[in-house]
Amino acid sequence: MSAAMATGALRVLLTGAAGLVGQGVALACQRSPRVANLTALVRHPGSLNGSGSGSGSELIVPDFLRIEERQGVLSGFDACFYCAGAPPVGTAEAEYRRVTLDTTLAVARAWAAANPQGCFLYVSGAGADARSRLMPLRVKGETEQALQALPVRTVMLRPGGVRPVEGTGTRHGLLKPLYWGGAPLMKLAGAIAPSLVTSNLALGQAMIALAGREHPPATVECADINRIAADFRDPLS
């Protein structure tokens, strides 16, 4: 464990800052005194500010699949919060695999080589299983297996439904009506059945808490994400 992690002052690299999950995770990091520095790994400038929150810097790498060529700029982090991915609805299998498996592993391998004492936390999904007959769950499961073989501590977070908190939302046109119309029901479901729904802010809070542990669990299901987030006690949370 690095000295920064031992003192609770995490230096975090975040991918997917502009996405629904990443926006909430960025918000949690920006509010938390446990995070000393937040850097968003982005393809284009403005992704972090576009999340609706202010503090943090951006590391611009146009092609994540070639990120090993920029490995030197990835050093100095305690944790990587990987929140990027393709929507399972409306994405062809080849593209879904490229984004979910190939791109994730390219970033993870380069980051792990640059930060061997760090912790890589990956937002997967409930039911991820490399043997699943459902394509998204199968690819997510394969990605989990590949990440767990890396020479760093890894945590797979498996949320069910993810509810955006106020000020955050999805960029995908096909999903916007679903989240807009279903937000009240998702909030109610999260209160009644925490094993099925969490919020993007709770995901961020759980990731911060887990990154600070010397021996975090390998896999964290939705109910445990909510439990860890509920125990998260930052003054501004």
Side-chain angles (χ1 to χ4, degrees), residues 20-31:
L20 184 149
V21 171
Q23 290 173 49
V25 172
L27 190 61
C29 290
Q30 291 163 335
R31 288 180 173 183

Side-chain angles (χ1 to χ4, degrees), residues 83-168:
C83 306
V89 178
T91 305
E93 180 170 356
E95 175 66 8
Y96 191 83
R97 180 173 292 275
R98 185 187 69 82
V99 173
T100 303
L101 178 59
D102 299 340
T103 304
T104 302
L105 286 183
V107 174
R109 286 167 176 160
W111 186 88
N115 302 278
Q117 302 303 314
C119 184
F120 190 95
L121 298 97
Y122 173 64
V123 178
S124 181
D129 186 343
R131 299 166 297 180
S132 177
R133 294 182 179 180
L134 299 177
M135 182 275 291
L137 300 183
R138 182 173 65 253
V139 175
K140 285 276 191 181
E142 292 173 9
T143 304
E144 286 189 1
Q145 288 183 347
L147 292 174
Q148 288 167 339
L150 293 174
V152 293
R153 288 173 298 131
T154 58
V155 180
M156 309 297 127
L157 293 99
R158 293 176 173 175
V162 178
R163 174 179 62 85
V165 298
E166 184 176 357
T168 68

Side-chain angles (χ1 to χ4, degrees), residues 210-223:
L210 290 163
R213 296 184 186 180
E214 187 171 2
H215 301 291
T219 303
V220 183
E221 302 291 347
C222 194

Side-chain angles (χ1 to χ4, degrees), residues 32 55 57 59 66 81 85 92 111 115 140-141 159 178 193 199 205 209 211 235:
S32 176
S55 61
S57 60
L59 175 59
R66 300 180 61 182
F81 294 171
W111 186 88
N115 302 278
K140 285 276 191 181
L178 174 64
S199 73
Q205 293 169 334

Side-chain angles (χ1 to χ4, degrees), residues 28 31-34 208 232-237:
R31 288 180 173 183
S32 176
R34 306 186 201 187
I208 295 168
F232 193 81
R233 291 291 180 265
D234 277 345
L236 298 179
S237 295

